[in-house]
Amino acid sequence: MLSQNVKMLSYSKSVGTTFDVPAKVYAGKVKTSIAFRDVKMILLILLLPLAVTYCFRLINDQERYVMRNLRTEVIELSRENARLKLEVAGLEAPTRIQEIAEKELGMEMPSTAIYGMNEVKDSHRKIRD
């Protein structure tokens, strides 16, 4: 038996590989690789939700930034709209229209005004008759 072990050792040295691997060492390597694979899987399971949460947080922050800019723009536009409404009200004022009519167009206010529909209807009848 001893001679067979010596022959086996000399044969493995000449080939360069060993075929006689102890069962305990082989089993230990398998357990180590399985344990490493399990650690990787556990880390993946723990870190994946954190990574997804972080990505959603970044997206949420970007949307908040866009929303803040839009709110600022809405406030500026509402201020400008109020200013323009005030300007339109000033341009539609009757006194301003009267001043433009008198100064630029040479129009004058009538000295008498006809009020009431009966007088107007009677004047149309007189013209037709």
Side-chain angles (χ1 to χ4, degrees):
M1 183 89 177
L2 186 61
S3 64
Q4 290 177 346
N5 286 341
V6 171
K7 287 181 185 178
M8 188 64 150
L9 288 173
S10 65
Y11 176 74
S12 63
K13 287 181 181 177
S14 65
V15 173
T17 60
T18 59
F19 294 104
D20 189 22
V21 178
K24 291 181 180 178
V25 174
Y26 182 72
K29 288 182 181 178
V30 171
K31 286 183 179 178
T32 304
S33 65
I34 290 174
F36 184 68
R37 191 176 0 157
D38 290 342
V39 169
K40 287 192 309 187
M41 191 59 89
I42 290 170
L43 285 175
L44 181 69
I45 290 171
L46 290 176
L47 294 178
L48 186 64
L50 292 174
V52 170
T53 304
Y54 182 72
C55 290
F56 280 131
R57 185 175 178 193
L58 288 176
I59 292 170
N60 192 16
D61 288 343
Q62 288 175 348
E63 294 299 322
R64 274 192 205 147
Y65 178 75
V66 169
M67 187 66 104
R68 188 179 310 129
N69 287 342
L70 288 175
R71 284 181 184 157
T72 303
E73 188 176 346
V74 165
I75 290 170
E76 289 174 5
L77 289 174
S78 63
R79 287 179 185 166
E80 184 178 355
N81 191 21
R83 183 187 59 81
L84 291 174
K85 283 183 179 180
L86 187 62
E87 185 178 336
V88 166
L91 293 174
E92 290 178 343
T95 55
R96 180 183 170 272
I97 295 173
Q98 182 181 354
E99 287 176 12
I100 292 174
E102 290 175 351
K103 292 179 182 174
E104 294 178 11
L105 301 176
M107 300 174 81
E108 294 179 5
M109 285 291 292
S111 58
T112 59
I114 302 173
Y115 295 104
M117 291 299 290
N118 290 335
E119 296 175 1
V120 174
K121 288 180 183 178
D122 291 339
S123 64
H124 286 295
R125 288 183 189 159
K126 291 179 183 176
I127 295 174
R128 287 187 190 168
D129 292 337

